[in-house]
Amino acid sequence: MNTDTVFKEIERMRNEMTETLMELVRVPAIAPQSGGDGESKRAEKLVQILETMGFTDIRHVDADDERVPSRKRPNVIAYLNGETKERLWIITHLDVVPAGEEALWTVTKPFDPLVKDGKIYGRGTEDNLQEMIASIYAAKALKNLGIKPKRTVALCFVADEENGSKFGIQYLIGQHLFEKNDLVVVPDGGNGDGSFIEIAEKSALWLKISTFGKQTHASRPSDGLNANRVGMEFALALDKMLHEKYPARDDYFEPPESTFEPTKKEKNVDAVNIVPGEDFIYFDCRILPRFDVEEVLKEINILIATFEKKTSARITIEVVSKTVAPQPTDANAKIVTMLREAVETIRGIKPKVGGIGGGTCAAYFRRVGIPAVVWSTADEMAHQPNEYAKIDNMVNDAKIFAQLAMA
Ligand SMILES: [Zn+2]
């Protein structure tokens, strides 16, 4: 059977793929720390879909989590047996980030998906449902045609990717589900034409910075200490210091420099006429692997000490999340070569292999010495309002996955 037949079968299912993706968007899967009830409902829906398709080998590896009503964070694996025991893992995540500012969703409501101009709009469409559907239908096409793939395909759907993966891929790795010679693809990042294969990543550091002053009436500010002002000044100083101290570029990465972004800010006082006594701001830092994350933290603490002396406010720093970049996947690993060849053969383009912002499930595989690649064709709409998935990307990436299973 030639690959064209398989690709035609995938094309034939284009509308079905779109419908299935939309079905899953309608079942939100938001983490408890973002005010959601986890992934259980979406996982149930997904398993129903897989069973209807005729997947018979579906396994559940749930992690306990008291914070959600179902008391578990679901991880699901659907296998399609191949001619050999070699396994191709395609890892996609069930969870989504919250919608954010609803008013910014101008095309459709975040969990009420809509198709427009070849795109499916809705939260989670691109991150990560587009590739979840692509991986499922790559396997389904083979099933429909009665083709036994060369290697076993393991479709792996994980929880908790957006908040550190403790209940998701980290849990699965802890259960020893994976082996050194497994082929692992994490389609959770990529560029517009699929010409970028990620094998390395930056360290990710999320910080909460708390500033404590003294609350008072705004008409008599000298009776208090404005934590908002000190907090803002500190945030700007920190922003400047980090960019000045760590300007290095590495063209292997995209973007080539470390990034340091002030992001979330917590609500403070309820009234305009109150000088806030507390201020909370967060930073998202993605640091080139050449820099020691502990060193960066040391520099931040030095700046804090200076500010505390200058302002007599108290400033504390809390590491919300820290992922130190693992050793990159070998550029000559089998999965890298297979993927490179698949993209070249099917798309006629030579993909670039390199590093990116990071923070995907691939990092945890690299940490235990299992080569993993991050690849997909995406418009990089993740976490944005009016997030969409291009239907063409979903269909065409399914062909690449089918090729990886067969070649
Ligand atoms: Zn994602």
Side-chain angles (χ1 to χ4, degrees), residues 207-210 228 263-269 276 278-282 318 320:
L207 302 172
K208 177 183 182 177
I209 294 146
S210 310
N228 187 10
T263 51
K264 178 167 148 177
K265 203 159 166 37
E266 271 177 33
K267 170 184 177 302
N268 52 23
V269 290
E278 296 177 339
D279 183 80
F280 307 101
I281 188 173
Y282 294 76
E318 185 194 325
V320 178

Side-chain angles (χ1 to χ4, degrees), residues 93 127-128 161-162 188:
H93 63 86
D127 181 21
N128 196 205
E161 193 278 334
E162 299 290 359
D188 191 17

Side-chain angles (χ1 to χ4, degrees), residues 129-161:
L129 291 171
Q130 175 190 300
E131 298 301 301
M132 183 183 289
I133 299 297
S135 68
I136 293 169
Y137 280 82
K140 193 186 177 199
L142 299 173
K143 277 170 70 66
N144 288 356
L145 297 167
I147 297 172
K148 197 169 199 183
K150 185 165 170 187
R151 48 189 64 85
T152 294
V153 182
L155 304 173
C156 185
F157 313 101
V158 296
D160 196 30
E161 193 278 334

Side-chain angles (χ1 to χ4, degrees), residues 208-223:
K208 177 183 182 177
I209 294 146
S210 310
T211 306
F212 303 96
K214 184 169 176 268
Q215 184 174 312
T216 189
H217 197 282
S219 63
R220 300 183 65 90
S222 58
D223 289 351

